[in-house]
Amino acid sequence: MASSLTKDSASTPGSEKTFFGHPRGLATLFMTEMWERFSFYGMKALLPLYLVAPGGMDMNAATATAIFSIYMAMVYLLALPGGWFADRLWGPRKTITIAALVIMLGHLTLALPGQAMFFLGLVFVAIGSGLLKANISTMVGHLYNGPDDPRRDGGFTVFYIGINLGAFFAPLAIGTVGEKVGWHLGFAIAAFGMGLGLIQFLLGGRHLSPQSSVVPKPVPRAELMSLVRKAMLWIIAAVVFYGVAVATDVYTLNWAIVPITVSGLLIPIWVLTKIKRDKSLNETEQSKMTAYIWFFVAAAIFWMIYDQGASTVALFGKNSTDTSIFGFDFPVSWFQSVNPVLIMAMAPVVAWIWLALNRRGQEPNSVVKFASGLFLVGVSFFVFLIPLSMAGDGDKVGAYWIVAIYFIHTIGELCVSPVGLSVTTKMAPEKYASQMLGVWFLAVTAGDCTTGLLSTAGVDLNKTGVVAMEATMAIIAAVAVFMYRKKVKALMGDVH
């Protein structure tokens, strides 16, 4: 990528060079995010397989799905406090440095044998990913001269490519080594990738905006000490409670899973209720928040099904799919590279379609796009019913069925994810402007925690009846959103 650097008189912080015509610091953040996503998606591809493998944790599919769902939920839940740490304590740049170290420590811990090391490593990776996810996009924004900088949207597009490059190569590298050589070595490679990302982040730091080192609203020492005391009390209470449960031999894994999944459902409800009931919001902001709740609930249903692509669908791929093409047998984890490569291929096509429709005055509004994405994810699970039925007698189905499901997921994601991010920033009340992106991530938390709770309750998510029920729920939700589109659009006010 160094060959793409050219001189530019419109210099950016710390350098006169540009990265594809963008501030040089974008290269630093591009590579940091690429390597972080490499470690994250490598973990995503490997984790469900490791949990059910006889040489891994040797769990049943329901428990594996519950743990995977909780892990994904916590990554997005912790993006909310991740933003707080940057805004009040460390600033985005320092927060990302600490986050990368925590992620690397987590993967190294996962590389060690033992159940205790596994869960400890999982906690570290979730915490680090939450801290980093909340802040690196903010730092990309700092590279530009405000929202009106004409390079800004293009910069985020280049940054998005880095995300998907890391996501694409991770299963091919980490998944292959984990499945074919050793699970723990796969986790170690994820740590190595994050380490590379951290090194280049530190070396390229001089190209970043000085604004990224600023703590916008420093927390007063008295308030900080109060928060520390409260946190310590909660930690001590949890240690005592679970210590007694273990000592009396009544502890099971559900003692940890159930409280986390229930919290993951209650926290988003509490946050949205708190914002909606805030008396300081004016009538327009209240109206927009009412509309936003429609988007939030729809997104939670969407992500509940979508994220099962790496758990329910992936485990079906492991047990019931023929993973050989032209005599070449590929690792099951490679399925997780399908989505990022489709994203890179289809995102420009979908963007072109919206633009072409816009020129004709026919581009669907945000509500219709959201309903379309929700409808598609429902269709994907109706498609899933076909290979599930075909494999009912123990037969293997073709890999193209899994690819077809992921293809529909991808088109749905391109209708939901960019639109959700956009309406979140546009509809955010001024008072909560810096927090609303974290609120958007809570929709993922709610969806994944629903999956985790179902699995914990003993629901087999690979059964045709359950898959059909989820698909039907998504279709009904999509139809409801579409039917009430005019009402929701009216509540959105001047947001289109």
Side-chain angles (χ1 to χ4, degrees), residues 9-13 22-23 139-153 156 209 211:
S9 56
S11 66
T12 54
H22 291 275
M139 290 183 67
V140 174
H142 289 165
L143 296 171
Y144 298 92
N145 299 318
D148 297 325
D149 190 321
R151 301 172 299 169
R152 186 183 178 95
D153 286 352
F156 274 97
S209 169
Q211 188 182 353

Side-chain angles (χ1 to χ4, degrees), residues 1-6 12-13 15 17-35 136 139-140 143-144 155-156 158-159 161-163 165 196-197 199-209:
M1 291 184 182
S3 61
S4 66
L5 300 177
T6 59
T12 54
S15 178
K17 295 181 177 181
T18 63
F19 177 67
F20 294 110
H22 291 275
R24 176 63 180 85
L26 183 61
T28 299
L29 298 176
F30 176 100
M31 296 296 289
T32 304
E33 180 70 349
M34 186 189 77
W35 284 114
I136 195 160
M139 290 183 67
V140 174
L143 296 171
Y144 298 92
F156 274 97
V158 173
F159 179 71
I161 291 171
I163 293 173
L165 279 175
L196 290 177
I199 290 168
Q200 71 81 39
F201 178 76
L202 296 174
L203 291 176
R206 67 185 183 279
H207 302 297
L208 301 173
S209 169

Side-chain angles (χ1 to χ4, degrees), residues 60-67 69 254 312 449-461:
N60 59 48
T63 305
T65 301
I67 291 173
S69 300
N254 283 348
T312 306
C449 280
T450 302
T451 301
L453 206 56
L454 288 171
S455 297
T456 305
V459 176
D460 187 348
L461 296 174

Side-chain angles (χ1 to χ4, degrees), residues 41-42 45-46 49 167-180 314 323 325 328-341 399 402-403 406:
Y41 278 90
L46 210 56
L49 305 177
F168 171 70
F169 286 112
L172 304 182
I174 295 171
T176 302
V177 172
E179 286 190 71
K180 301 298 184 182
T323 56
I325 298 178
F328 172 71
D329 189 30
F330 62 90
V332 178
S333 54
W334 283 21
F335 279 126
Q336 298 309 309
S337 288
V338 173
N339 173 254
V341 77
I402 306 296
V403 174
Y406 290 156

Side-chain angles (χ1 to χ4, degrees), residues 66 70 256-266 448-450 452-453 456:
I70 289 171
I257 292 175
V258 173
I260 294 173
T261 51
V262 171
S263 298
L265 289 171
L266 294 179
D448 284 332
C449 280
T450 302
L453 206 56
T456 305

Side-chain angles (χ1 to χ4, degrees), residues 51-264:
L51 287 169
V52 300
M57 298 296 287
D58 200 16
M59 296 177 173
N60 59 48
T63 305
T65 301
I67 291 173
F68 175 81
S69 300
I70 289 171
Y71 164 71
M72 293 292 292
M74 291 304 101
V75 167
Y76 289 93
L77 176 63
L78 291 167
L80 206 58
W84 183 91
F85 275 96
D87 286 344
R88 308 296 306 277
L89 202 60
W90 295 327
R93 186 168 170 175
K94 186 176 180 180
T95 303
I96 286 177
T97 303
I98 293 170
L101 284 168
V102 173
I103 292 170
M104 192 165 59
L105 175 62
H107 286 302
L108 289 172
T109 305
L110 285 164
L112 300 173
Q115 191 177 87
M117 290 295 100
F118 169 77
F119 285 111
L120 182 62
L122 216 55
V123 169
F124 282 146
V125 174
I127 291 172
S129 297
L131 286 172
L132 192 142
K133 189 170 187 64
N135 295 293
I136 195 160
S137 295
T138 302
M139 290 183 67
V140 174
H142 289 165
L143 296 171
Y144 298 92
N145 299 318
D148 297 325
D149 190 321
R151 301 172 299 169
R152 186 183 178 95
D153 286 352
F156 274 97
T157 301
V158 173
F159 179 71
Y160 195 61
I161 291 171
I163 293 173
N164 286 288
L165 279 175
F168 171 70
F169 286 112
L172 304 182
I174 295 171
T176 302
V177 172
E179 286 190 71
K180 301 298 184 182
V181 182
W183 300 108
H184 297 293
L185 184 58
F187 295 131
I189 291 176
F192 178 73
M194 189 68 259
L196 290 177
L198 175 59
I199 290 168
Q200 71 81 39
F201 178 76
L202 296 174
L203 291 176
R206 67 185 183 279
H207 302 297
L208 301 173
S209 169
Q211 188 182 353
S212 296
S213 299
V214 174
V215 181
K217 301 174 185 176
V219 60
R221 180 172 175 79
E223 183 183 340
L224 177 61
M225 295 310 295
S226 174
L227 288 170
V228 170
R229 284 194 295 270
K230 289 177 182 177
M232 290 304 297
L233 286 173
W234 278 105
I235 291 170
I236 291 169
V239 169
V240 170
F241 177 81
Y242 284 103
V244 170
V246 171
T248 54
D249 203 28
V250 296
Y251 175 82
T252 65
L253 198 55
N254 283 348
W255 280 57
I257 292 175
V258 173
I260 294 173
T261 51
V262 171
S263 298

